[in-house]
């Protein structure tokens, strides 16, 4: 920045000074006049006009730049202290009363003292002589460098005259050279010029000017580079345009179409052949008209073309068209899956109605069951039985509702949602679409996919499903939607209401043996590169795997274990042992390690002491047994509950204790037995959260067993909700709980009497073989089986003759 000095006296640098003179001062904005330079000035301020008019024969003035160009009435302190003595050669009056003045710089001067400020400024000034430079090779090189850089700038600048190059090369005085170059360059700022004007020595001015010229040279080179690149691009675009126009003209003369026109005509034919509804066809043709008017170079060309292609490729009226054969469908379902009678009956019912009423709406089915029971594979079998295409959409972890409904076309990379994409891949408007893991949908700031499914899975609405990308209605009513879930707790009630829930329960041991022999073993033998002649799985080995290496409702872990055995045999074959392997228990222990599940002995060992009973629990992975333990100690009536149990289970424990206390006399206990006792109930596996009311009867049995010091009947399990009056209420998940008890080696199962219908519907005679089922209406019925010695007391018999114990023996 230029040094901004004030008019107060200062120590001048060591510089030859001339005589002091009193001369009028003309303040100027954003302008610096150099000695020996001619500068036209427009004078418009009243004070400046008076100054110009007052000049007589002596037409000398001092031109000084303002410190702040925005000031309209500058004072003496608002001017730079170094200016230029100038001679006024010509004054021209302008129509707007201003003056146009031609001035020529004479010498540098310093403003010392202002003798007058009104009506115009007059100051005493002294002439500043240039400090003569010391001749040297470095100084000469600096002069030449300034000349060369100035000539280069002039050569590359479109606004500077080439004559400047010649004039600069002919100036021998370095001081005059600096002044000439500085006054000729329009890009120099006022501050840069003022610094050059105030510099005391010629060498210093040359150095400053050299830096400024080097910077300008660099800027001009960059500007030239950018200009060249832009010009090349423009020329290429113009060349492409001209060639394209010439090609169009040639094709028109030959009667041919260009590629863009052929593309449009192809899309038009596909729209006509797509069988769209009239309103959709109207929208497609409208977009096609826009596309035809667009240049292929336009930004929206590709977006519009993709949109039209999506409309043209969807199967608006293309159905699978296969003839319905009920017997063939039943055969396919039986081939692919063992049992699952309810599901198969529902599909066959749907096929029967479809044959009588071809335009019926597709049902919305939801298979709910533990992992590994065949929910997803069942969807494929249904599609094969119907003769339709199958598409699967995984909803697990999906957070964005646009995955269902699509993105709007305004977004970059927008696409239709998974539903429309599945329809396109299937190429028919009536495929089987499986929405897998619907219970694992997410929800965040991007929307709620579960809510977006409400329209999709509603037969009354999905005939006009409108995807955000297509923005036209599409009929989904012919699509057979099948959802799968492990549990319904996380599925919103409105979504559950739109689906037909079909529960898939776990498999019994007998069913697992059939499935392993019929499906799993042949598949694993094939996948692991061996043949049936190289390995054999006897039924005893399969049962041993089921009992001691898996504890699951489905068969996924069973298939993995069979696959492990097949891989071991594949390795033996590669190592040269080609004889057939008959899998035995010893072989399994060698291949799989020691027994992982000891089902036969665990229950019997843990219930030997009083205060321990076995309950039955339902989990998303199937049924499981649940040990409940109680202990007592001296205290003051405290009641502790542990085992990471939920509020509902805690309330069941409180209800069980209340029933025991209210019936203490009937149980042979003191009325105030809790006065000097603390009781602690614990549910082992404390790291696993547990909740629900179905362990109420088990807790009551545990407390009675503990307080009467009577062990529970061995190999006995139970489930049911208890009330304060001792009634036993029904619970869910009966089949899963029954199978879990049987896997654990239980021989007696106590169930609520109202669950007898579930047993008759869901359990076969084969499943119930070796297990005795007892039905209870009151807690006394439960104690009669679990604690027969306690229940034998006369005062503990059921209060009503209708609430008797029912027994179903298999």
């Amino acid at each position: 920045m230029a040094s901004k000095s004030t008019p107060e006296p200062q120590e001048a640098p060591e510089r030859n000074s001339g005589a002091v003179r009193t001369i009028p001062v003309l303040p100027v904005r954003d302008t610096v006049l150099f000695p020996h330079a001619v500068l036209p000035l427009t004078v418009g301020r009243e004070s400046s006009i008076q100054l110009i008019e007052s000049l007589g024969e002596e037409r000398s003035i001092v031109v000084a730049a303002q410190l702040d160009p925005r000031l309209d009435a500058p004072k003496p302190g608002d001017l730079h202290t170094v200016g230029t003595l100038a001679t006024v050669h010509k004054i021209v009056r302008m129509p707007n009363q201003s003056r146009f003045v031609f001035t020529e710089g004479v010498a540098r001067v310093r403003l010392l003292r202002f003798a007058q400020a009104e009506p115009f400024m007059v100051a005493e000034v002294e002439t500043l002589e240039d400090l003569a430079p010391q001749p040297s090779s470095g100084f000469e090189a600096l002069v030449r460098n300034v000349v060369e850089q100035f000539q280069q700038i002039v050569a590359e600048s479109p606004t500077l005259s080439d004559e400047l190059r010649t004039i600069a090369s002919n100036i021998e005085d370095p001081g005059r050279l600096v002044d000439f170059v500085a006054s000729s360059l329009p890009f120099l700022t006022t501050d840069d010029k003022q610094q050059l004007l105030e510099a005391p020595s010629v060498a210093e001015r040359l150095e400053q000017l050299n830096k400024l010229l080097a910077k300008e040279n660099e800027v001009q080179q960059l500007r030239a580079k950018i200009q060249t690149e832009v010009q090349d691009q423009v020329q290429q675009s113009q060349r492409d345009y001209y060639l394209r126009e010439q090609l169009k003209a040639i094709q028109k003369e030959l009667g041919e179409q260009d590629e863009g026109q052929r593309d449009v005509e192809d899309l038009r034919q596909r729209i006509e052949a797509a069988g769209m509804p009239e309103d959709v066809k109207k929208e497609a043709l409208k977009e096609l008209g826009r596309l035809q008017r667009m240049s292929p170079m336009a930004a929206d060309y590709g977006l519009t073309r993709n949109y039209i292609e999506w409309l043209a490729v969807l199967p608006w009226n293309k159905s699978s068209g296969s003839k319905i054969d009920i017997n063939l469908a039943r055969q396919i379902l039986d081939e692919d899956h063992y049992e699952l009678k309810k599901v198969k009956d529902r599909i066959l019912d749907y096929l029967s109605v479809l044959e009588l009423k071809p335009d019926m709406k597709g049902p919305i089915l939801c298979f709910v069951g533990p992992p590994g029971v065949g929910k997803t594979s069942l969807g494929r079998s249904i599609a094969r039985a119907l003769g339709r295409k199958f598409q699967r959409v995984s909803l697990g972890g999906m957070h964005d509702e646009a995955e269902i409904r699509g993105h709007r076309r305004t977004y970059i990379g927008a696409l239709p949602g998974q539903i429309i994409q599945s329809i396109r891949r299937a190429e028919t408007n009536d495929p089987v679409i499986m929405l897998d893991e619907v219970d694992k949908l997410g929800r965040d700031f991007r929307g709620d996919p579960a809510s977006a499914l409400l329209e999709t899975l509603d037969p009354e609405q999905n005939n006009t499903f409108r995807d955000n990308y297509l923005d036209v209605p599409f009929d989904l009513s012919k699509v057979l939607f099948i959802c799968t879930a492990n549990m319904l707790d996380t599925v919103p009630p409105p979504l559950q209401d739109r689906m037909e829930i079909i529960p898939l329960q776990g498999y019994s041991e007998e069913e697992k043996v059939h499935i392993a022999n019929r499906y799993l073993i042949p598949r694993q033998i094939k996948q692991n590169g061996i043949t049936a002649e190289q390995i054999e799985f006897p039924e005893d080995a399969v049962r041993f795997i089921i009992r001691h290496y898996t504890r699951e409702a489905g068969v996924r872990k069973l298939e993995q274990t069979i696959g492990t055995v097949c891989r071991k045999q594949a390795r033996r074959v590669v190592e040269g042992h080609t004889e057939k392997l008959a899998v035995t228990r010893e072989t399994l222990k060698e291949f799989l390690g020691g027994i992982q599940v000891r089902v036969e002995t665990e229950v019997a060992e843990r219930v030997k002491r009083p205060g321990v009973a076995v309950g039955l629990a339902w989990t998303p992975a199937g049924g499981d047994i649940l040990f409940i333990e109680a202990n007592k100690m001296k205290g003051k009536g405290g009641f502790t509950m542990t085992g990471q149990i939920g509020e509902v289970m805690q309330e069941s424990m409180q209800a069980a204790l209340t029933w025991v206390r209210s019936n203490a006399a009937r149980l042979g206990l003191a009325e105030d037995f809790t006065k000097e006792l603390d009781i602690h109930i614990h549910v082992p596996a404390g790291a696993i959260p547990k909740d629900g009311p179905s362990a109420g009867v088990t807790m009551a049995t545990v407390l009675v067993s503990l307080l009467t010091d009577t062990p529970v009947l061995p190999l006995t399990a139970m489930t049911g909700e208890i009330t304060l009056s001792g009634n036993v209420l029904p619970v869910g998940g009966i089949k899963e709980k029954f199978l879990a008890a049987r896997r654990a080696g239980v021989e007696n199962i106590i169930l609520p009497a109202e669950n007898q219908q579930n047993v008759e519907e869901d359990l076969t005679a084969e499943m119930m073989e070796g297990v005795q089922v007892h039905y209870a209406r009151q807690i006394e019925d439960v104690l009669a089986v679990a604690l027969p010695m306690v229940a034998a007391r006369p005062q503990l018999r059921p209060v009503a003759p209708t609430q008797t114990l029912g027994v179903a023996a298999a």
Side-chain angles (χ1 to χ4, degrees), residues 117-403:
E118 296 294 341
F120 52 83
M121 289 182 276
V122 177
E124 293 180 357
V125 299
E126 65 174 351
T127 306
L128 300 178
E129 301 295 337
D130 292 339
L131 297 178
Q134 296 294 329
S136 66
S137 56
F139 182 80
E140 181 64 27
L142 187 59
V143 172
R144 292 184 183 180
N145 198 41
V146 166
V147 173
E148 289 177 3
Q149 291 196 87
F150 175 69
Q151 290 178 337
Q152 185 176 349
I153 290 172
V154 171
E156 294 180 359
S157 173
T159 59
L160 297 177
S161 171
D162 288 341
E163 294 179 359
L164 297 176
R165 299 167 62 186
T166 307
I167 296 172
S169 60
N170 292 329
I171 297 176
E172 296 180 357
D173 181 11
R176 293 194 62 177
L177 174 66
V178 173
D179 293 341
F180 172 75
V181 171
S183 62
S184 301
L185 295 178
F187 61 83
L188 292 182
T189 64
T190 304
D191 288 340
D192 292 337
K193 291 182 178 180
Q194 186 66 33
Q195 284 184 359
L196 290 172
L197 185 69
E198 293 180 0
S201 68
V202 176
E204 187 176 341
R205 290 179 221 156
L206 281 170
E207 289 178 0
Q208 291 182 14
L209 184 61
N210 187 49
K211 292 178 183 177
L212 295 171
L213 292 174
K215 179 181 176 182
E216 178 63 17
N217 256 326
E218 185 177 351
V219 170
Q220 282 204 356
Q221 289 173 4
L222 287 173
R223 174 183 159 279
K225 180 182 177 183
I226 294 171
Q227 184 68 21
T228 303
E229 291 176 355
V230 171
Q231 193 169 1
D232 290 345
Q233 291 176 0
V234 171
Q235 289 176 351
Q236 181 65 33
S237 299
Q238 291 177 341
R239 178 175 174 275
D240 292 346
Y241 175 76
Y242 291 142
L243 290 175
R244 197 172 288 111
E245 291 299 316
Q246 289 175 0
L247 182 61
K248 285 182 182 179
I250 294 170
Q251 288 172 337
K252 185 176 180 180
E253 290 296 325
L254 295 175
E256 297 178 356
Q257 290 181 328
D258 65 1
E259 186 176 348
Q261 290 175 328
R262 285 197 301 271
D263 202 15
V264 170
E265 285 304 315
D266 178 56
L267 288 172
R268 191 185 305 278
Q269 292 174 9
R270 290 165 65 182
I271 291 172
E272 295 292 341
M276 302 176 182
E278 281 303 317
D279 54 342
V280 179
K281 184 177 179 180
K282 181 179 178 182
E283 180 68 20
L285 292 175
K286 176 184 172 184
E287 291 294 324
L288 186 65
R290 287 186 62 234
L291 183 73
Q292 193 169 10
R293 293 190 297 273
M294 279 185 191
S295 166
M297 306 297 291
D300 289 345
Y301 186 86
L303 301 178
T304 306
R305 190 181 186 283
N306 287 342
Y307 174 72
I308 298 171
E309 278 192 343
W310 269 101
L311 290 178
V313 79
L314 287 176
W316 296 93
N317 64 351
K318 182 181 176 183
S319 301
S320 55
S322 57
K323 190 177 184 305
I324 298 171
D325 188 337
I326 296 291
N327 294 324
L328 178 61
R330 181 187 293 110
Q331 180 183 342
I332 291 174
L333 291 173
D334 290 338
E335 281 178 4
D336 292 349
H337 288 82
Y338 182 76
E339 286 296 328
L340 302 177
K341 185 175 182 301
K342 285 185 180 179
V343 182
K344 294 176 181 177
D345 286 346
R346 180 64 185 86
I347 299 303
L348 295 177
D349 293 346
Y350 165 65
L351 286 177
S352 302
V353 176
L354 188 63
E355 186 168 1
L356 298 175
K357 190 176 185 297
D359 60 341
M360 75 166 291
K361 295 177 180 178
I364 314 294
L365 306 180
C366 182
F367 297 154
V368 182
V373 296
K375 298 184 295 295
T376 305
S377 60
L378 188 58
R380 290 192 176 89
S381 298
I382 292 172
R384 196 159 73 90
L386 295 175
R388 297 188 185 182
K389 296 289 185 67
F390 176 79
Q391 290 294 319
R392 175 179 167 272
V393 178
S394 178
L395 301 181
M398 187 180 289
H399 288 265
D400 192 352
E401 70 165 315
E403 293 286 340

Side-chain angles (χ1 to χ4, degrees), residues 557-789:
K557 182 68 176 177
L558 175 60
E559 183 173 9
Q560 292 172 0
T561 308
I562 292 171
T564 301
V565 176
C566 291
R567 286 192 293 274
K568 296 291 186 182
Q569 173 61 5
R571 179 177 172 184
R572 292 179 75 253
V573 170
V574 172
E575 290 175 350
H577 303 283
T578 56
E579 66 276 6
K580 184 175 184 178
L581 173 66
V583 180
T584 62
R585 297 189 177 195
E586 290 71 23
T587 308
L588 291 174
K589 291 179 181 178
E590 178 188 349
F591 288 171
L592 303 176
I595 291 174
Q596 298 174 9
V597 182
R598 288 178 169 82
V599 291
E600 291 91 347
T601 59
E602 185 178 17
V603 174
E605 290 174 357
R606 294 181 66 169
V607 298
K608 285 180 179 179
R609 57 174 293 275
V612 181
V614 180
L616 298 175
W618 180 92
T619 69
D624 204 351
I625 61 172
L626 194 69
F627 289 95
I628 298 178
E629 301 178 352
N631 214 334
K632 60 184 179 180
M633 63 223 77
K634 285 186 178 182
K636 297 181 180 180
F639 187 54
T640 306
M641 300 167 285
T642 57
Q644 201 172 344
I645 53 180
E647 291 184 5
V648 177
M649 187 172 274
Q650 292 182 30
E651 292 170 359
S652 295
M653 291 180 177
Q654 295 282 1
L657 179 61
T658 300
W659 183 87
V660 172
R661 292 180 62 186
S662 65
N663 292 274
R666 299 175 62 202
L667 294 168
L669 303 172
E671 291 284 348
D672 57 349
F673 71 89
T674 58
K675 186 176 180 180
E676 297 179 353
L677 287 179
D678 280 352
I679 298 175
H680 184 171
I681 293 186
H682 178 66
V683 185
I688 302 173
K690 313 165 195 72
D691 204 0
S694 64
V697 295
T698 315
M699 295 166 187
T701 304
V702 165
L703 290 172
V704 174
S705 169
L706 173 71
L707 296 170
T708 60
D709 201 25
T710 307
V712 175
L713 184 70
L715 302 179
T716 300
M718 62 201 76
T719 184
E721 182 179 354
I722 188 175
T723 67
L724 290 177
S725 58
N727 293 327
V728 179
L729 302 183
V731 294
I734 293 299
K735 182 179 179 182
E736 288 85 353
K737 293 177 179 179
F738 183 92
L739 295 177
R742 185 172 179 187
R743 284 197 300 269
V746 171
E747 297 176 356
N748 293 284
I749 298 178
I750 304 172
L751 300 175
E754 294 184 33
N755 285 120
Q756 185 171 355
Q757 181 180 352
N758 300 105
V759 174
E760 294 170 353
E761 290 180 355
D762 297 336
L763 301 177
T764 64
E766 289 181 352
M767 295 180 190
M768 299 176 64
E769 184 178 352
V771 179
Q772 197 168 17
V773 180
H774 307 266
Y775 298 106
R777 295 186 183 278
Q778 285 190 312
I779 189 63
E780 290 88 351
D781 300 335
V782 177
L783 298 180
V785 177
L787 299 167
M789 293 179 64

Side-chain angles (χ1 to χ4, degrees), residues 404-475:
I404 304 294
R405 283 192 181 143
H407 296 83
R408 301 196 181 278
R409 278 189 288 157
T410 52
Y411 295 106
I412 295 174
L415 282 173
Q418 290 292 334
I419 303 297
I420 294 297
Q421 291 190 41
S422 299
I423 295 288
R424 177 181 179 176
R425 288 192 293 268
E427 298 179 346
T428 61
N429 62 2
D430 59 349
V432 175
I433 295 182
M434 171 159 281
L435 303 176
D436 220 359
E437 311 293 355
V438 72
D439 58 326
K440 297 175 182 61
L441 279 171
R443 179 179 182 179
D444 62 8
F445 65 93
R446 288 168 290 187
D448 184 7
S451 299
L453 281 176
L454 294 178
E455 179 189 6
T456 308
L457 300 182
D458 190 346
E460 298 300 325
Q461 299 181 39
N462 64 9
N463 59 337
T464 56
F465 175 74
R466 190 177 288 268
D467 187 275
N468 287 333
Y469 180 81
L470 299 181
D471 201 26
V472 292
F474 189 89
D475 186 3

Side-chain angles (χ1 to χ4, degrees), residues 492-522:
L495 190 56
Q496 291 186 41
D497 186 56
R498 284 163 167 76
M499 301 185 294
E500 184 177 343
I501 308 297
I502 300 179
L504 296 181
Q505 290 142 345
Y507 296 115
S508 65
E509 182 177 312
E510 294 299 327
E511 290 172 335
K512 289 183 179 180
V513 171
H514 281 289
I515 292 170
N517 290 327
R518 189 168 170 181
Y519 305 105
L520 308 183
I521 293 174

